[in-house]
Amino acid sequence: MATTGPAVDWARKQVDRGRVPVGVLGIASRQGIEDIVAFGSDAGRQAATDDHFALFSVTKPITALTVMRQVELGRLTLGTPLSAAVPGFGADRTDTVTLEHLLSHRSGITDPDIDGGTPLREALTQAGHTFYAGSLVQYCNLAFEGAAAMAEWAGELPFEQQLLALAADTGAHGLTFDADRNPHTVHVDSTPGLNVETMHKNRHPGAGLFGTATDLLSLGTELLRDSGKAVQPATYAAMRRPRTKDVPFISVLPSPRRHTGLGFQMPANESELSAREIHGHPGWSGTEWWMLPEQDRCVVFLTNVLDTPDLGVDTTELLNAVAAS
């Protein structure tokens, strides 16, 4: 197991400089997992390479992969309306929200607090209307509850069962919506009022998964291989195609902005990056999961602090380090 190298040095630096208390870095290729290292301790708990972490929005591309399996089976299309699966949705809307809109943050659904107490399916039917579907881009967690509902409707199986089947098929056996795997505590000091326990009780298909570095690396390996164990190559290519480049954004988030495909995000600051065709997703808790196909690399960084970019954790540095590793 490597103890040096640009990516490992980057991960160690985040802990040594006090930006995050713990960090687990993993790298894989088409050949499989190449390296996993852990740094730091939190409240006396030493980080280990097999620790579970709250993944937050790294959940989104995994949910999208699950839903796209129903598209491959001919049970859904990207143009299928959400109202077909959730008849109570959009009663006051004059537009049509499709699966493509949901997976690319173009639904116009007003996003409630992620730790709200209302059951997600009920929140979906009660959701307000921010803009006409497809006309703008605004990040929306609740849209992924809509996508999960469509997968259930099409597949006639609970969404979680479908996602766990994807996990089993790709060797990501530790992925779970259950908080009983002793995950690292998420530090929320920078976001007063966020109730992480309430959020996870929602089992949110946009933010609720727990997992290990091995889980994400195993799934990433199958994607790099284009093996078809997650989704077929044509589906995977479609998911990586940016769908928001020419659509105006509504955002209060800091740069760098990211383009969105279907569940996957692509960095918009391409001129600052050594690699091309990068795709993956960050999570609010500092988690990162990215594929660099030209370099045959998947990288995972897991930690447990909200808003890490505000603390100096720079994903561009990580991605350039991985490209050089």
Side-chain angles (χ1 to χ4, degrees), residues 17 26 38 50 53 64-65 67 71 75 141 158 161 181 226 238 302:
R17 296 190 177 180
D50 59 353
F53 287 81
L65 288 164
V67 176
V71 174
R75 298 169 178 171
N141 292 298
Q161 187 173 334
R181 303 293 183 90
D226 240 352
L302 300 179

Side-chain angles (χ1 to χ4, degrees), residues 26-113:
I27 294 178
S29 70
R30 292 180 182 90
Q31 301 305 311
I33 296 173
E34 297 190 349
D35 206 8
I36 308 177
V37 290
F39 302 101
S41 63
D42 190 13
R45 177 183 179 182
Q46 191 73 27
T49 56
D50 59 353
D51 286 348
H52 270 77
F53 287 81
L55 300 182
F56 278 71
S57 285
V58 172
T59 304
K60 288 182 172 67
I62 301 172
T63 286
L65 288 164
T66 303
V67 176
M68 291 301 290
R69 286 180 149 198
Q70 297 300 328
V71 174
E72 291 183 337
L73 292 170
R75 298 169 178 171
L76 290 173
T77 74
L78 292 176
T80 302
L82 174 57
S83 58
V86 184
F89 172 80
D92 298 327
R93 296 184 65 150
T94 59
D95 57 350
T96 299
V97 176
T98 68
L99 179 59
E100 181 182 14
H101 294 143
L102 295 170
L103 295 179
S104 61
H105 297 293
R106 295 182 293 147
S107 68
I109 295 172
T110 304
D111 208 13
D113 290 340

Side-chain angles (χ1 to χ4, degrees), residues 157-277:
L157 287 173
F159 171 72
E160 287 190 26
Q161 187 173 334
Q162 295 184 37
L163 186 145
L164 292 178
L166 168 77
D169 289 344
T170 56
H173 301 288
L175 290 177
T176 180
F177 285 98
D178 293 323
D180 61 357
R181 303 293 183 90
N182 192 27
H184 282 270
T185 300
V186 177
H187 294 273
V188 298
D189 294 346
S190 62
T191 309
L194 177 67
N195 189 317
V196 175
E197 290 185 3
T198 299
M199 188 202 82
H200 284 301
K201 286 179 181 177
N202 284 334
R203 307 172 80 86
H204 203 307
L209 276 176
F210 297 90
T212 68
T214 296
D215 295 323
L216 296 175
L217 293 171
S218 297
L219 177 52
T221 289
E222 297 302 337
L223 294 175
L224 289 172
R225 289 173 178 167
D226 240 352
S227 66
K229 290 185 178 180
V231 293
Q232 294 302 311
T235 304
Y236 183 36
M239 295 179 72
R240 291 148 44 198
R241 187 164 62 243
R243 295 164 191 266
T244 58
K245 279 190 173 181
D246 300 318
V247 186
F249 276 69
I250 301 175
S251 178
V252 295
L253 298 176
S255 60
R257 195 182 73 187
R258 297 183 176 94
H259 302 303
T260 302
L262 299 173
F264 286 103
Q265 293 194 339
M266 287 67 71
N269 59 330
E270 294 174 328
S271 64
E272 301 175 22
L273 292 164
S274 303
R276 299 183 304 170
E277 299 185 8

